[in-house]
Amino acid sequence: MKTTGEVVGVIANLVTVKTFGPVAQNEICYIELGNIRLMAEVIKIKGENAFVQVFESTRGLGIGAKVEFQGNMLEATLGPGILTRIYDGLQNDLKAMEDVFLQRGTYNDPLDMNSTWEFTPLCNVGDIVVAGNWLGWVPEGWLEHKIMVPFKCKGQYKVKSIKEKGTYKITDTIAVIENEEGEELPVTMIQKWPVKVPVTAFTSKPRPKYTLETGIRAIDTFNPIAEGGTGFIPGPFGAGKTVLQHAISKQADAQVIIIAACGERANEVVETFVEFPELDDPHTGRKLMERTVIIANTSNMPVSAREASVYTAMTIGEYYRAMGYKVLLLADSTSRWAQALREMSNRLEELPGQDAFPMDLSAIISEFYARAGYVYLPNGKTGSVTFLGTVSPAGGNLKEPVTESTKKAARCFYALQQSRADSKRYPAIDPLESYSKYLEYEEIQKTLEEKFGAGWTELVTRAKTYVQRGKEANEQINILGDDSVPVEYHDRFWKSELIDFVILQQDSFDVTDANCPMERQKMMFELVMSICDGKRDFKDFEECSSYYKRLINTLRQMNYSEWKSEQFDKYMNQVNDILNEKK
């Protein structure tokens, strides 16, 4: 028997419900408004009153409206057919919606329940299985979509029956498993999982030991992110957060891409809809959308739906991780999510923290980021969810609460600097403010040195020192003038510019330079560092700047040339000629 209730108070999207029975935290309920039903989630319980956040507009809702509690939390529907789809935060399929605008109280199936899939079994009758074990697979694009023992299963089960290879609907029973008490559980190709509960169908979750290649030099070389790691990109409006995320999603070494547009402007979300289906996947030669899921939540949708969108995206990511895939989850922007938390907290009249954000904002963000990770699955395979969020601090202030709270949770910090964006130095990642804590991990250091040779991390540290010293020298030159400082100061400054122009800057619109493989990054970085480590004598600052400008221009032409082509070798010879001038 479902618990019922009635509305006794409405403050925008926060509705107070008098309950006539037991309810649970985060339980889903439906509020009747005329002939439509509005979905809501319990966020606070006080006595017989439940405070619920409504995922729709509450316009026209009044006191006395009937409420029915469902006895379950907000759940994601998981199964074949998720890839290529565009969902809202409640996992409604937006392509299946008939109207231009979303209609209140309209919800549809996230998957096509009538679709058929070619099933191939991976287990036998009598096998002992646990939650997350693979029972079989179906082809989803070019990926093998694993059909798993439902995540909700506790303890060991025995496979009682399994379907033979053939074509089945996703609602058909493809296996029957039996628990230790002899209770039978039919398994279909779909399962449901509460989005706010982490999926724990793995045996261990160690510290990451591999780096995730993104094709972006400022990340891979200077501040690498780990496979199964976390990072975030704060930056003011116009600094290139969205373009950087799109570049990473296209080039990163991941098999599944999930994009959560969380409270972004509608025109930016529409651009994603229009552009992604047209993008070619550099890894497979097919369309990038074939391995992508988009969760769309625009700024004009109710604020509470923003929270649902990030949790739904993470749950889908964990689902594909349990299949043994590398998943990259990009959220843009978590600031909008935090603003939604602030709004609901204020309506609940909770004690406010800094800038009126909830007191537990830091804990909420940390708990969410902790769901990413590199895991070992029950069958010995591995999978990972790498999470990269953007933060949009008001006025570019990196000291505001959302940025500070995210800094505590994320291991990588890619600060986009307005001055770099204004001077067209893209990606505008500040090389001195940004950092990767993964460079301190022994496991990561070992992996990097195995791939790139001994002393790689020391080389990266030395490059950052050159950039820092160059910045200091430039400040002295600006204060005292070109002629009033030793030529050594100009030499320092131009060495930092060499690193900046050749390594840190990258043209995302150039076919060759947009994606820089690690072999090429290693060669170019070691070349640039060998130039910086060399000592040269210049008679004055003009000779110094002229020399480095020629080097920078030639090395940049190498970046635009196809790897190891005749043109690339021609510019390499020109670089050697310039270097021989000052031996």
Side-chain angles (χ1 to χ4, degrees):
M1 189 71 180
K2 291 179 179 178
T3 299
T4 58
E6 67 177 24
V7 173
V8 293
V10 181
I11 307 173
N13 284 86
L14 179 70
V15 174
T16 308
V17 178
K18 182 180 179 182
T19 61
F20 306 128
V23 295
Q25 181 75 6
N26 298 119
E27 187 175 344
I28 290 297
C29 64
Y30 285 96
I31 304 172
E32 292 181 11
L33 175 58
N35 59 353
I36 60 175
R37 284 154 56 91
L38 307 180
M39 186 190 281
E41 178 187 27
V42 177
I43 56 174
K44 185 179 179 181
I45 301 168
K46 189 176 181 182
E48 62 179 10
N49 286 343
F51 298 88
V52 304
Q53 59 177 357
V54 185
F55 297 120
E56 307 270 14
S57 167
T58 55
R59 184 175 299 160
L61 187 63
I63 306 297
K66 302 301 179 190
V67 181
E68 184 181 72
F69 293 87
Q70 300 303 299
N72 60 270
M73 298 167 69
L74 179 63
E75 294 175 327
T77 302
L78 307 169
I82 289 178
L83 294 184
T84 75
R85 291 190 185 260
I86 299 173
Y87 293 121
D88 69 0
L90 303 177
Q91 217 190 349
N92 291 304
D93 186 352
L94 296 182
K95 285 183 180 177
M97 296 286 186
E98 294 178 358
D99 295 298
V100 175
F101 296 101
L102 299 179
Q103 298 298 313
R104 279 199 302 177
T106 303
Y107 311 106
N108 61 23
D109 287 325
L111 302 172
D112 182 357
M113 297 301 171
N114 294 315
S115 62
T116 57
W117 299 81
E118 186 68 32
F119 175 75
T120 303
L122 289 173
C123 66
N124 299 306
V125 173
D127 285 355
I128 301 299
V129 294
V130 295
N133 271 142
W134 305 344
L135 299 173
W137 66 274
V138 298
E140 186 178 19
W142 55 274
L143 289 175
E144 290 185 2
H145 186 113
K146 308 298 192 305
I147 307 302
M148 295 174 276
V149 176
F151 299 144
K152 66 182 180 182
C153 293
K154 305 290 184 187
Q156 291 188 336
Y157 285 74
K158 182 188 285 187
V159 178
K160 196 99 182 279
S161 68
I162 181 86
K163 291 283 189 184
E164 296 178 353
K165 184 173 181 176
T167 303
Y168 305 96
K169 284 186 178 181
I170 60 173
T171 52
D172 290 342
T173 298
I174 54 97
V176 176
I177 56 177
E178 184 181 73
N179 66 10
E180 291 160 336
E181 282 76 46
E183 296 170 345
E184 292 186 359
L185 176 70
V187 179
T188 65
M189 294 189 199
I190 56 175
Q191 61 171 306
K192 291 181 180 288
W193 185 257
V195 297
K196 291 192 176 176
V197 178
V199 175
T200 55
F202 50 79
T203 54
S204 64
K205 192 177 183 181
R207 291 210 310 184
K209 59 181 177 180
Y210 302 111
T211 55
L212 182 77
E213 188 177 327
T214 66
I216 296 168
R217 292 187 292 268
I219 295 176
D220 295 343
T221 299
F222 253 55
N223 293 301
I225 188 168
E227 182 189 324
T230 55
F232 78 113
I233 307 170
F237 177 75
K241 294 189 295 295
T242 306
V243 173
L244 181 58
Q245 273 205 330
H246 283 198
I248 292 169
S249 66
K250 184 177 179 181
Q251 289 141 209
D253 180 24
Q255 290 144 318
V256 177
I257 307 293
I258 301 170
I259 297 173
C262 178
E264 278 304 294
R265 296 173 186 84
N267 59 336
E268 288 189 22
V269 178
V270 169
E271 276 180 25
T272 304
F273 289 176
V274 173
E275 289 173 10
F276 258 75
E278 300 301 320
L279 291 177
D280 292 320
D281 185 346
H283 297 282
T284 63
R286 302 163 75 119
K287 291 298 181 185
L288 185 64
M289 195 67 197
E290 287 185 31
R291 59 185 178 99
T292 302
V293 186
I294 299 174
I295 312 291
N297 178 259
T298 60
S299 52
N300 59 340
M301 290 181 180
V303 291
S304 50
R306 296 177 188 177
E307 190 180 10
S309 63
V310 293
Y311 284 107
T312 299
M314 181 59 82
T315 304
I316 293 173
E318 291 172 327
Y319 177 59
Y320 279 95
R321 176 176 68 185
M323 298 181 201
Y325 292 126
K326 296 180 192 175
V327 180
L328 177 62
L329 171 53
L330 303 163
D332 186 13
S333 131
T334 53
S335 290
R336 310 275 188 262
W337 168 38
Q339 287 164 8
L341 294 173
R342 175 171 63 183
E343 200 164 315
M344 299 313 294
S345 175
N346 293 347
R347 288 172 186 166
L348 285 168
E349 298 179 1
E350 294 176 343
L351 189 67
Q354 187 183 352
D355 287 5
F357 284 102
M359 292 286 281
D360 59 347
L361 176 68
S362 186
I364 293 169
I365 291 174
S366 295
E367 197 175 70
F368 182 78
Y369 271 74
R371 290 177 66 170
Y374 180 87
V375 301
Y376 283 95
L377 303 172
N379 58 7
K381 305 286 187 182
T382 62
S384 64
V385 171
T386 307
F387 179 68
L388 195 58
T390 66
V391 176
S392 309
N397 173 26
L398 299 185
K399 299 296 180 186
E400 55 89 45
V402 182
T403 307
E404 286 292 309
S405 298
T406 310
K407 254 187 177 180
K408 296 172 187 173
R411 302 284 91 189
C412 290
F413 175 60
Y414 302 118
L416 299 187
Q417 191 182 49
Q418 187 69 61
S419 59
R420 285 184 68 82
D422 291 343
S423 58
K424 301 292 183 283
R425 298 189 178 208
Y426 289 109
I429 298 171
D430 187 326
L432 300 176
E433 282 284 325
S434 306
Y435 60 77
S436 170
K437 291 183 180 176
Y438 294 115
L439 285 172
E440 301 167 8
Y441 285 25
E442 287 181 13
E443 302 92 329
I444 295 288
Q445 289 177 1
K446 185 180 176 184
T447 302
L448 289 173
E449 301 206 348
E450 284 173 359
K451 283 174 74 175
F452 308 126
W456 178 260
T457 48
E458 287 81 2
L459 192 66
V460 172
T461 304
R462 199 157 77 247
K464 291 180 179 179
T465 304
Y466 276 121
V467 174
Q468 177 65 48
R469 292 183 71 196
K471 182 185 177 186
E472 293 166 357
N474 188 40
E475 288 169 356
Q476 291 292 321
I477 293 167
N478 287 337
I479 293 168
L480 301 173
D482 289 329
D483 290 323
S484 303
V485 297
V487 177
E488 183 197 348
Y489 279 52
H490 290 277
D491 187 52
R492 275 189 219 160
F493 166 66
W494 280 106
K495 281 178 178 176
S496 72
E497 288 289 273
L498 183 69
I499 294 170
D500 195 330
F501 276 96
V502 181
I503 304 299
L504 298 178
Q505 292 180 47
Q506 205 164 338
D507 188 345
S508 64
F509 295 103
D510 182 83
V511 176
T512 304
D513 198 34
N515 183 15
C516 191
M518 283 310 301
E519 184 188 2
R520 182 170 184 154
Q521 288 190 42
K522 177 180 184 290
M523 179 261 165
M524 291 300 290
F525 184 53
E526 288 176 342
L527 173 62
V528 167
M529 288 305 293
S530 69
I531 296 170
C532 291
D533 289 339
K535 295 193 181 298
R536 296 167 190 84
D537 293 322
F538 301 101
K539 62 182 179 184
D540 55 30
F541 75 88
E542 288 177 337
E543 185 189 18
C544 177
S545 65
S546 173
Y547 180 83
Y548 279 108
K549 281 176 183 175
R550 282 191 295 141
L551 264 180
I552 288 169
N553 287 334
T554 311
L555 286 164
R556 290 193 76 178
Q557 291 307 314
M558 285 176 70
N559 281 342
Y560 295 133
S561 304
E562 195 175 322
W563 176 234
K564 292 183 177 176
S565 64
E566 282 185 27
Q567 194 177 26
F568 184 88
D569 293 338
K570 182 186 83 172
Y571 288 122
M572 185 72 238
N573 291 332
Q574 289 181 19
V575 168
N576 288 328
D577 291 341
I578 297 170
L579 293 175
N580 288 332
E581 291 174 16
K582 287 290 177 184
K583 266 201 170 179

